[in-house]
Amino acid sequence: AQSVTQLDSQVPVFEEAPVELRCNYSSSVSVYLFWYVQYPNQGLQLLLKYLSGSTLVESIDGFEAEFNKSQTSFHLRKPSVHISDTAEYFCAVTPDSGGYNKLIFGAGTRLAVHP
Amino acid sequence: GAVVSQHPSRVICKSGTSVKIECRSLDFQATTMFWYRQFPKQSLMLMATSNEGSKATYEQGVEKDKFLINHASLTLSTLTVTSAHPEDSSFYICSAERRDSYEQYFGPGTRLTVT
């Protein structure tokens, strides 16, 4: 079985400051890793994913995450945040076993960007 | 591409009535669709997995007679909350997995309020 731990339930940060949202996972098999963003009263949008290859993955709006197998982590970072980045961020994993699989979500981290 | 819609976006119903929520993949075929429930300020909890043309697989603790799922085509799945009660009030989100990838695409969610 897999589990995901997001260590911070809330992260307040000032605009233009860097931010890191932490995600650790537990799994006995290889996994795919995802970060999703949820704006108020909306569904989830995929931010970035790691399936294979380079351990550093980037999104089009400046976020990046690095897969660290030894530390079983997939932390999300952004060097300079905007007010519009205020949202809930979910880390998720699914086993790398082919076919369809359940996404296992972390509890979420609320990023609050202040002016 | 990869757009998933849900209808309705919001619904208010009286206790004891039934409500149907539709989930459609608009521009791709989805062999598998997932239904999640999200309570305020909490993560998504998988309720059930549905495959086109077969019975849904429910997660432990989810009443299959209360939450009826039908996946009649490769682009449509429905969730019917039968005999709804106030404790069923929640945000229901569906996702659809493309036939050719491991990614899930999420709908915008349906806010159900039972009075």
Side-chain angles (χ1 to χ4, degrees), chain A residues 38 41 43 49 100 102 106, chain B residues 38 43 46 97 103 108 111:
Chain A
Q38 184 182 33
N41 295 310
K49 63 187 177 189
Y100 74 86
K102 301 185 291 189
Chain B
Q38 185 181 32
S43 188
L46 181 66
E97 185 178 87
E103 289 188 41
R111 174 76 60 193

Side-chain angles (χ1 to χ4, degrees), chain B residues 13-115:
Chain B
C13 70
K14 293 188 176 180
S15 187
T17 62
S18 296
V19 173
K20 180 184 284 188
I21 303 169
E22 291 187 350
C23 176
R24 293 180 184 273
S25 56
L26 298 184
D27 51 1
F28 67 98
Q29 292 185 329
T31 48
T32 305
M33 289 185 169
F34 302 83
W35 287 95
Y36 297 85
R37 183 172 181 175
Q38 185 181 32
F39 291 104
K41 300 188 187 301
Q42 294 188 28
S43 188
L44 281 72
M45 299 300 296
L46 181 66
M47 298 174 66
T49 303
S50 73
N51 290 300
E52 184 263 337
S54 61
K55 290 184 178 181
T57 302
Y58 290 82
E59 294 299 300
Q60 192 172 9
V62 178
E63 300 175 60
K64 58 183 178 183
D65 294 330
K66 180 169 185 62
F67 299 99
L68 301 178
I69 292 173
N70 183 277
H71 192 159
S73 76
L74 287 172
T75 60
L76 173 64
S77 176
T78 61
L79 168 67
T80 301
V81 183
T82 63
S83 187
H85 288 99
E87 57 265 31
D88 298 324
S89 298
S90 190
F91 195 49
Y92 292 87
I93 302 175
C94 74
S95 71
E97 185 178 87
R98 290 178 67 127
R99 297 183 80 172
D100 54 355
S101 79
Y102 300 120
E103 289 188 41
Q104 290 183 33
Y105 297 91
F106 287 80
T110 296
R111 174 76 60 193
L112 170 63
T113 303
V114 184
T115 61

